[in-house]
Amino acid sequence: MTADTYDDDVALRAYVLRHFPHLMTPLERRVTEYIAPIVSDAEDSKLLKLHEFLEERDGHVVDADVISAFQTPYDDRIANAVDRVLETRRGELIENRCSQCQRLARTPVAKQCLWCGHDWH
Ligand SMILES: [Zn+2]
């Protein structure tokens, strides 16, 4: 995406996914961060460690819910999770917008606009 092709909806969705995954539910995080289901009965010890880490970080997620969510394609899982965050937790987003062009900055703490070059340091 360039300044000419900037699409606020696309930019906002990518921004939520990159900077506000903590606004997702534990299940949403579990099924959007990985392309394979991370469940408690994994045979690979690395996956078991990862499962342990995720349970600790996000809270418990039922294996059956993870498996069931994987019936939905990856891109749709992401779109659904981002939709829910935008619909129910929009107030918790820090939308760092440029005061000149109103486009979203690259990060919540950026002080320069990627799109028009405006600098607010
Ligand atoms: Zn700008």
Side-chain angles (χ1 to χ4, degrees):
M1 193 158 50
T2 66
D4 290 339
T5 61
Y6 178 87
D7 178 321
D8 198 64
D9 186 55
V10 172
L12 183 60
R13 289 174 159 279
Y15 182 88
V16 167
L17 192 61
R18 186 169 308 135
H19 302 295
F20 294 90
H22 53 280
L23 297 183
M24 290 184 186
T25 65
L27 176 61
E28 286 167 346
R29 275 193 94 161
R30 192 75 54 93
V31 304
T32 57
E33 265 180 293
Y34 301 95
I35 55 162
I38 309 297
V39 288
S40 65
D41 63 351
E43 286 180 17
D44 184 304
S45 64
K46 280 183 187 158
L47 290 180
L48 281 178
K49 278 218 163 87
L50 177 58
H51 178 267
E52 211 171 282
F53 166 77
L54 295 173
E55 289 276 305
E56 183 83 21
R57 187 192 69 184
D58 302 330
H60 179 58
V61 178
V62 176
D63 285 350
D65 293 347
V66 173
I67 301 294
S68 166
F70 269 77
Q71 301 298 311
T72 303
Y74 181 69
D75 289 346
D76 293 341
R77 296 198 302 273
I78 289 181
N80 293 341
V82 171
D83 275 345
R84 197 202 52 80
V85 168
L86 289 173
E87 278 162 25
T88 67
R89 304 191 71 178
R90 181 104 189 216
E92 294 166 72
L93 286 181
I94 299 156
E95 288 181 42
N96 184 17
R97 290 185 180 273
C98 173
S99 64
Q100 294 298 301
C101 71
Q102 303 308 314
R103 293 180 181 113
L104 273 170
R106 198 193 252 316
T107 75
V109 296
K111 292 185 185 302
Q112 186 169 9
C113 178
L114 178 71
W115 311 107
C116 75
H118 179 60
D119 188 320
W120 55 96
H121 278 94

